[in-house]
Amino acid sequence: MKIQRSNAYSKMTLSVVVIVFILLILAPFIASDNAIERLTVLFIYIIMAAMWNTLAGFGGLISIGQQLFFGLGAYATIRITNMGVSPFVALLMAACLVGLLSWPISSFMLRLKAGEFAIGMWVLASIGHLLVNLDPLIQGETGISLIALNQYSIEHRRQFIYLAALIGMSGLLLGLFYVLRSKAGIAMQAIRDNEEAADSIGVDAEKVKKWFFIFAAFGTALAGALWLAQASSFQPKTYFSVQWTAYMIFMVLVGGLGRFEGAILGALLFFAVETWFAATGVWYLVGLGAVAMLCSLFLPKGIWGAIETRLGITLIPVGYQVTGLISDTHSKHK
């Protein structure tokens, strides 16, 4: 029996990821403008899915109010650029600011359990929406545009936003990967499975959950800031809409809750469906709901969960794997 953290599939995946990343870096010089804009949207979706999966899949904290951080990320970007800061610097500053704000928020929100936490986050998102509406700069639901982007040409703006989204997505996924493989990641998954048992072996549940809450808030805020840069305009009712959390939930449930690959697969599927069927109007939304329901009924572990269970394939292992067990047992019987 051998315990290891990687396998043949994960080593192959690493090589593929490096190649894909290099191609994506080169994409602004070889791809069409429309392709660059669509890829930017895909990167943001992957960030959103990965951050909700961090909170719910690995932490067991089901939130239906992550639009709070998505909206605050966009709002903070508007506010910071209004002080004369470059919009691309403001993206990161806004995400950091929202991450800091999430610390005191976590102090009282994490006292709530299960459904109370989920609904509490939704209520908090509604309060955040109302408070942002009171800012004279935003002009209520009329909103405001990210005027600072006008200092860049359309072509350079598109390339900068694309690279910011690519680097942001890559950095967050890499950070999440290493966090999940750390003691904190193992502790968080133990808390998810049984908080009382985790507490009995000395895990500081409150501290660990806070760090995961902050990480998810930071990433979601960065997604909101990037969406603002890509869309250029900010309207509170749009950015604080529960639809963003609904999208996150759909991507993670369909892809595979609590699986690193699941969030990425779910984002890719959602992006493909949106690209091909968004023009069908209300039927597009009906279709998303139907797919989510069918996956919940017949694929409770999501698409990647089903693949992993049936084929035993893990592309991005975040835990330890036991190999050689069957062969060892077989040799003993012989």
Side-chain angles (χ1 to χ4, degrees), residues 85-293:
V85 178
S86 165
F88 295 103
V89 175
L91 297 178
L92 181 59
M93 290 179 64
C96 291
L97 183 62
V98 175
L100 287 173
L101 179 62
S102 69
W103 177 266
I105 291 176
S106 68
S107 297
F108 60 87
M109 288 306 302
L110 291 176
R111 296 175 184 271
L112 305 177
K113 304 295 182 182
E116 293 178 347
F117 175 80
I119 298 300
M121 287 299 300
W122 191 357
V123 171
L124 204 59
S126 298
I127 294 173
H129 178 193
L130 294 174
L131 291 176
V132 168
N133 267 349
L134 296 176
D135 187 345
L137 177 67
I138 304 303
Q139 305 175 68
E141 294 297 354
T142 302
I144 189 173
S145 296
L146 190 58
I147 303 172
L149 284 174
N150 293 335
Q151 62 185 289
Y152 303 94
S153 67
I154 295 177
E155 182 180 355
H156 287 160
R157 183 193 313 174
R158 185 184 296 111
Q159 292 176 352
F160 290 156
I161 296 171
Y162 170 86
L163 291 174
L166 174 59
I167 294 170
M169 176 196 70
S170 302
L172 286 169
L173 290 179
L174 190 61
L176 176 60
F177 176 73
Y178 281 107
V179 166
L180 291 174
R181 290 166 67 100
S182 69
K183 292 181 180 179
I186 296 171
M188 190 62 183
Q189 292 173 73
I191 294 168
R192 173 199 62 192
D193 296 334
N194 191 321
E195 186 168 341
E196 292 183 359
D199 185 64
S200 68
I201 59 175
V203 174
D204 189 342
E206 182 180 355
K207 182 178 180 181
V208 174
K209 286 194 291 186
K210 271 189 176 184
W211 281 114
F212 269 69
F213 186 91
I214 293 168
F215 182 80
F218 169 82
T220 306
L222 183 60
L226 287 167
W227 192 273
L228 170 67
Q230 186 258 349
S232 296
S233 61
F234 176 79
Q235 291 179 306
K237 65 181 178 182
T238 299
Y239 284 81
F240 285 91
S241 171
V242 73
Q243 74 171 17
W244 299 110
T245 298
Y247 290 166
M248 297 179 209
I249 294 173
F250 174 87
M251 290 185 280
V252 174
L253 289 183
V254 170
L257 181 67
R259 286 166 174 79
F260 198 98
E261 305 94 333
I264 299 173
L265 176 60
L268 288 169
L269 291 173
F270 177 76
F271 174 77
V273 171
E274 182 191 58
T275 301
W276 294 332
F277 302 109
T280 60
V282 68
W283 289 108
Y284 155 68
L285 298 175
V286 171
L288 288 179
V291 171
M293 183 179 67

Side-chain angles (χ1 to χ4, degrees), residues 51-73:
M51 292 303 100
W52 198 83
N53 196 34
T54 298
L55 203 61
F58 296 111
L61 299 170
I62 307 297
S63 169
I64 54 176
Q66 290 305 99
Q67 65 270 19
L68 168 67
F69 303 119
F70 187 86
L72 287 178

